[in-house]
mmCIF file of all heavy atoms in Angstrom:
data_model
loop_
_atom_site.group_PDB
_atom_site.id
_atom_site.type_symbol
_atom_site.label_atom_id
_atom_site.label_comp_id
_atom_site.label_asym_id
_atom_site.label_seq_id
_atom_site.Cartn_x
_atom_site.Cartn_y
_atom_site.Cartn_z
ATOM 1 N N LYS A 1 -10.105 -5.891 12.792
ATOM 2 C CA LYS A 1 -9.006 -5.154 12.170
ATOM 3 C C LYS A 1 -7.949 -4.845 13.223
ATOM 4 O O LYS A 1 -8.255 -4.684 14.406
ATOM 5 C CB LYS A 1 -9.498 -3.850 11.534
ATOM 6 C CG LYS A 1 -10.337 -4.047 10.288
ATOM 7 C CD LYS A 1 -10.731 -2.716 9.655
ATOM 8 C CE LYS A 1 -11.555 -2.929 8.383
ATOM 9 N NZ LYS A 1 -11.962 -1.626 7.767
ATOM 10 N N ILE A 2 -6.696 -4.775 12.780
ATOM 11 C CA ILE A 2 -5.596 -4.357 13.643
ATOM 12 C C ILE A 2 -4.858 -3.207 12.964
ATOM 13 O O ILE A 2 -4.947 -3.029 11.746
ATOM 14 C CB ILE A 2 -4.625 -5.519 13.934
ATOM 15 C CG1 ILE A 2 -4.163 -6.183 12.624
ATOM 16 C CG2 ILE A 2 -5.262 -6.532 14.880
ATOM 17 C CD1 ILE A 2 -3.099 -7.246 12.825
ATOM 18 N N ARG A 3 -4.136 -2.438 13.771
ATOM 19 C CA ARG A 3 -3.440 -1.260 13.246
ATOM 20 C C ARG A 3 -2.003 -1.252 13.767
ATOM 21 O O ARG A 3 -1.754 -1.612 14.926
ATOM 22 C CB ARG A 3 -4.172 0.011 13.672
ATOM 23 C CG ARG A 3 -3.540 1.285 13.163
ATOM 24 C CD ARG A 3 -4.467 2.476 13.330
ATOM 25 N NE ARG A 3 -4.472 3.037 14.669
ATOM 26 C CZ ARG A 3 -5.507 3.017 15.493
ATOM 27 N NH1 ARG A 3 -6.630 2.411 15.128
ATOM 28 N NH2 ARG A 3 -5.428 3.579 16.671
ATOM 29 N N CYS A 4 -1.099 -0.831 12.922
ATOM 30 C CA CYS A 4 0.303 -0.721 13.314
ATOM 31 C C CYS A 4 0.562 0.661 13.885
ATOM 32 O O CYS A 4 0.315 1.677 13.218
ATOM 33 C CB CYS A 4 1.212 -0.977 12.112
ATOM 34 S SG CYS A 4 2.973 -0.822 12.503
ATOM 35 N N ASN A 5 1.084 0.713 15.102
ATOM 36 C CA ASN A 5 1.411 1.991 15.734
ATOM 37 C C ASN A 5 2.603 2.674 15.079
ATOM 38 O O ASN A 5 2.790 3.874 15.235
ATOM 39 C CB ASN A 5 1.709 1.785 17.225
ATOM 40 C CG ASN A 5 0.459 1.872 18.085
ATOM 41 O OD1 ASN A 5 -0.523 2.500 17.711
ATOM 42 N ND2 ASN A 5 0.500 1.222 19.238
ATOM 43 N N THR A 6 3.389 1.915 14.337
ATOM 44 C CA THR A 6 4.587 2.482 13.719
ATOM 45 C C THR A 6 4.285 3.118 12.375
ATOM 46 O O THR A 6 4.603 4.282 12.134
ATOM 47 C CB THR A 6 5.661 1.395 13.540
ATOM 48 O OG1 THR A 6 6.013 0.864 14.816
ATOM 49 C CG2 THR A 6 6.910 1.982 12.884
ATOM 50 N N CYS A 7 3.634 2.364 11.474
ATOM 51 C CA CYS A 7 3.398 2.888 10.122
ATOM 52 C C CYS A 7 1.954 3.291 9.870
ATOM 53 O O CYS A 7 1.645 3.890 8.838
ATOM 54 C CB CYS A 7 3.846 1.873 9.073
ATOM 55 S SG CYS A 7 2.863 0.345 9.010
ATOM 56 N N GLY A 8 1.041 2.943 10.775
ATOM 57 C CA GLY A 8 -0.355 3.345 10.645
ATOM 58 C C GLY A 8 -1.195 2.474 9.744
ATOM 59 O O GLY A 8 -2.388 2.743 9.567
ATOM 60 N N THR A 9 -0.627 1.421 9.178
ATOM 61 C CA THR A 9 -1.372 0.539 8.292
ATOM 62 C C THR A 9 -2.421 -0.252 9.070
ATOM 63 O O THR A 9 -2.152 -0.723 10.175
ATOM 64 C CB THR A 9 -0.426 -0.444 7.573
ATOM 65 O OG1 THR A 9 0.596 0.297 6.901
ATOM 66 C CG2 THR A 9 -1.188 -1.299 6.567
ATOM 67 N N VAL A 10 -3.606 -0.382 8.479
ATOM 68 C CA VAL A 10 -4.700 -1.141 9.083
ATOM 69 C C VAL A 10 -4.889 -2.431 8.287
ATOM 70 O O VAL A 10 -4.910 -2.413 7.049
ATOM 71 C CB VAL A 10 -6.006 -0.324 9.090
ATOM 72 C CG1 VAL A 10 -7.165 -1.153 9.635
ATOM 73 C CG2 VAL A 10 -5.824 0.943 9.912
ATOM 74 N N PHE A 11 -5.011 -3.550 9.004
ATOM 75 C CA PHE A 11 -5.150 -4.855 8.374
ATOM 76 C C PHE A 11 -6.412 -5.548 8.876
ATOM 77 O O PHE A 11 -6.732 -5.458 10.057
ATOM 78 C CB PHE A 11 -3.974 -5.776 8.737
ATOM 79 C CG PHE A 11 -2.611 -5.219 8.441
ATOM 80 C CD1 PHE A 11 -1.924 -4.505 9.409
ATOM 81 C CD2 PHE A 11 -2.016 -5.425 7.212
ATOM 82 C CE1 PHE A 11 -0.666 -4.004 9.153
ATOM 83 C CE2 PHE A 11 -0.754 -4.931 6.946
ATOM 84 C CZ PHE A 11 -0.076 -4.213 7.921
ATOM 85 N N PRO A 12 -7.091 -6.287 8.012
ATOM 86 C CA PRO A 12 -8.140 -7.184 8.512
ATOM 87 C C PRO A 12 -7.496 -8.378 9.196
ATOM 88 O O PRO A 12 -6.402 -8.816 8.804
ATOM 89 C CB PRO A 12 -8.884 -7.607 7.243
ATOM 90 C CG PRO A 12 -7.856 -7.486 6.151
ATOM 91 C CD PRO A 12 -6.965 -6.343 6.543
ATOM 92 N N THR A 13 -8.133 -8.911 10.226
ATOM 93 C CA THR A 13 -7.613 -10.109 10.872
ATOM 94 C C THR A 13 -8.727 -10.891 11.539
ATOM 95 O O THR A 13 -9.686 -10.300 12.044
ATOM 96 C CB THR A 13 -6.542 -9.771 11.930
ATOM 97 O OG1 THR A 13 -5.949 -10.990 12.408
ATOM 98 C CG2 THR A 13 -7.143 -9.029 13.122
ATOM 99 N N ASP A 14 -8.603 -12.201 11.492
ATOM 100 C CA ASP A 14 -9.483 -13.062 12.273
ATOM 101 C C ASP A 14 -8.646 -13.957 13.178
ATOM 102 O O ASP A 14 -9.133 -14.953 13.705
ATOM 103 C CB ASP A 14 -10.390 -13.908 11.365
ATOM 104 C CG ASP A 14 -9.606 -14.778 10.386
ATOM 105 O OD1 ASP A 14 -8.352 -14.792 10.453
ATOM 106 O OD2 ASP A 14 -10.247 -15.447 9.559
ATOM 107 N N GLN A 15 -7.368 -13.581 13.350
ATOM 108 C CA GLN A 15 -6.438 -14.376 14.126
ATOM 109 C C GLN A 15 -6.030 -13.656 15.413
ATOM 110 O O GLN A 15 -6.098 -12.433 15.496
ATOM 111 C CB GLN A 15 -5.175 -14.662 13.291
ATOM 112 C CG GLN A 15 -5.442 -15.452 12.026
ATOM 113 C CD GLN A 15 -6.030 -16.820 12.305
ATOM 114 O OE1 GLN A 15 -5.542 -17.542 13.174
ATOM 115 N NE2 GLN A 15 -7.076 -17.182 11.569
ATOM 116 N N PRO A 16 -5.559 -14.416 16.421
ATOM 117 C CA PRO A 16 -5.057 -13.778 17.647
ATOM 118 C C PRO A 16 -3.813 -12.932 17.362
ATOM 119 O O PRO A 16 -3.053 -13.218 16.426
ATOM 120 C CB PRO A 16 -4.709 -14.972 18.547
ATOM 121 C CG PRO A 16 -5.466 -16.128 17.979
ATOM 122 C CD PRO A 16 -5.555 -15.884 16.510
ATOM 123 N N THR A 17 -3.600 -11.911 18.152
ATOM 124 C CA THR A 17 -2.400 -11.093 18.061
ATOM 125 C C THR A 17 -1.698 -11.093 19.415
ATOM 126 O O THR A 17 -2.331 -11.312 20.455
ATOM 127 C CB THR A 17 -2.722 -9.648 17.656
ATOM 128 O OG1 THR A 17 -3.663 -9.090 18.591
ATOM 129 C CG2 THR A 17 -3.325 -9.594 16.255
ATOM 130 N N THR A 18 -0.388 -10.847 19.398
ATOM 131 C CA THR A 18 0.402 -10.802 20.627
ATOM 132 C C THR A 18 1.407 -9.667 20.520
ATOM 133 O O THR A 18 1.522 -8.996 19.481
ATOM 134 C CB THR A 18 1.177 -12.121 20.850
ATOM 135 O OG1 THR A 18 2.259 -12.215 19.895
ATOM 136 C CG2 THR A 18 0.256 -13.330 20.692
ATOM 137 N N ILE A 19 2.187 -9.483 21.583
ATOM 138 C CA ILE A 19 3.238 -8.458 21.557
ATOM 139 C C ILE A 19 4.370 -8.856 20.624
ATOM 140 O O ILE A 19 5.242 -8.027 20.320
ATOM 141 C CB ILE A 19 3.794 -8.182 22.975
ATOM 142 C CG1 ILE A 19 4.353 -9.470 23.589
ATOM 143 C CG2 ILE A 19 2.716 -7.575 23.861
ATOM 144 C CD1 ILE A 19 5.062 -9.242 24.912
ATOM 145 N N GLU A 20 4.351 -10.080 20.131
ATOM 146 C CA GLU A 20 5.379 -10.537 19.203
ATOM 147 C C GLU A 20 4.895 -10.549 17.752
ATOM 148 O O GLU A 20 5.649 -10.905 16.845
ATOM 149 C CB GLU A 20 5.846 -11.945 19.591
ATOM 150 C CG GLU A 20 6.490 -12.010 20.974
ATOM 151 C CD GLU A 20 6.872 -13.411 21.375
ATOM 152 O OE1 GLU A 20 6.490 -14.365 20.648
ATOM 153 O OE2 GLU A 20 7.550 -13.574 22.398
ATOM 154 N N SER A 21 3.648 -10.138 17.522
ATOM 155 C CA SER A 21 3.118 -10.111 16.156
ATOM 156 C C SER A 21 3.899 -9.112 15.304
ATOM 157 O O SER A 21 4.339 -8.059 15.787
ATOM 158 C CB SER A 21 1.640 -9.752 16.167
ATOM 159 O OG SER A 21 0.884 -10.750 16.816
ATOM 160 N N VAL A 22 4.069 -9.447 14.028
ATOM 161 C CA VAL A 22 4.869 -8.640 13.111
ATOM 162 C C VAL A 22 3.954 -7.921 12.122
ATOM 163 O O VAL A 22 3.037 -8.526 11.553
ATOM 164 C CB VAL A 22 5.871 -9.525 12.340
ATOM 165 C CG1 VAL A 22 6.684 -8.688 11.355
ATOM 166 C CG2 VAL A 22 6.795 -10.247 13.310
ATOM 167 N N CYS A 23 4.192 -6.647 11.906
ATOM 168 C CA CYS A 23 3.425 -5.866 10.924
ATOM 169 C C CYS A 23 3.808 -6.304 9.517
ATOM 170 O O CYS A 23 4.990 -6.322 9.150
ATOM 171 C CB CYS A 23 3.709 -4.378 11.113
ATOM 172 S SG CYS A 23 2.938 -3.330 9.857
ATOM 173 N N ASP A 24 2.811 -6.640 8.707
ATOM 174 C CA ASP A 24 3.059 -7.081 7.334
ATOM 175 C C ASP A 24 3.570 -5.950 6.441
ATOM 176 O O ASP A 24 4.157 -6.209 5.388
ATOM 177 C CB ASP A 24 1.781 -7.656 6.723
ATOM 178 C CG ASP A 24 1.391 -8.990 7.329
ATOM 179 O OD1 ASP A 24 2.277 -9.653 7.918
ATOM 180 O OD2 ASP A 24 0.211 -9.365 7.226
ATOM 181 N N ALA A 25 3.338 -4.702 6.849
ATOM 182 C CA ALA A 25 3.728 -3.571 6.009
ATOM 183 C C ALA A 25 5.148 -3.083 6.304
ATOM 184 O O ALA A 25 5.940 -2.877 5.392
ATOM 185 C CB ALA A 25 2.745 -2.420 6.179
ATOM 186 N N CYS A 26 5.471 -2.909 7.590
ATOM 187 C CA CYS A 26 6.784 -2.337 7.929
ATOM 188 C C CYS A 26 7.693 -3.313 8.659
ATOM 189 O O CYS A 26 8.826 -2.963 8.998
ATOM 190 C CB CYS A 26 6.615 -1.070 8.752
ATOM 191 S SG CYS A 26 5.999 -1.339 10.449
ATOM 192 N N ALA A 27 7.183 -4.524 8.933
ATOM 193 C CA ALA A 27 7.953 -5.576 9.618
ATOM 194 C C ALA A 27 8.273 -5.232 11.061
ATOM 195 O O ALA A 27 9.127 -5.871 11.685
ATOM 196 C CB ALA A 27 9.235 -5.908 8.855
ATOM 197 N N GLY A 28 7.585 -4.240 11.608
ATOM 198 C CA GLY A 28 7.793 -3.903 13.004
ATOM 199 C C GLY A 28 7.263 -5.000 13.915
ATOM 200 O O GLY A 28 6.222 -5.598 13.640
ATOM 201 N N VAL A 29 7.986 -5.263 14.994
ATOM 202 C CA VAL A 29 7.591 -6.289 15.955
ATOM 203 C C VAL A 29 7.005 -5.613 17.193
ATOM 204 O O VAL A 29 7.586 -4.659 17.727
ATOM 205 C CB VAL A 29 8.796 -7.157 16.366
ATOM 206 C CG1 VAL A 29 8.377 -8.200 17.399
ATOM 207 C CG2 VAL A 29 9.406 -7.836 15.145
#
């Protein structure tokens, strides 16, 4: 799982994440 520091939404993931990953909920980069 990953979490957005901006909106607090938690997502399941089985993929790599980076500093350029985009939040699906708030579109934060």
Side-chain angles (χ1 to χ4, degrees):
K1 289 183 179 179
I2 52 174
R3 181 167 81 246
C4 179
N5 271 335
T6 299
C7 67
T9 305
V10 176
F11 305 92
T13 187
D14 58 4
Q15 299 299 314
T17 56
T18 72
I19 58 173
E20 298 177 351
S21 295
V22 179
C23 175
D24 289 339
C26 70
V29 178

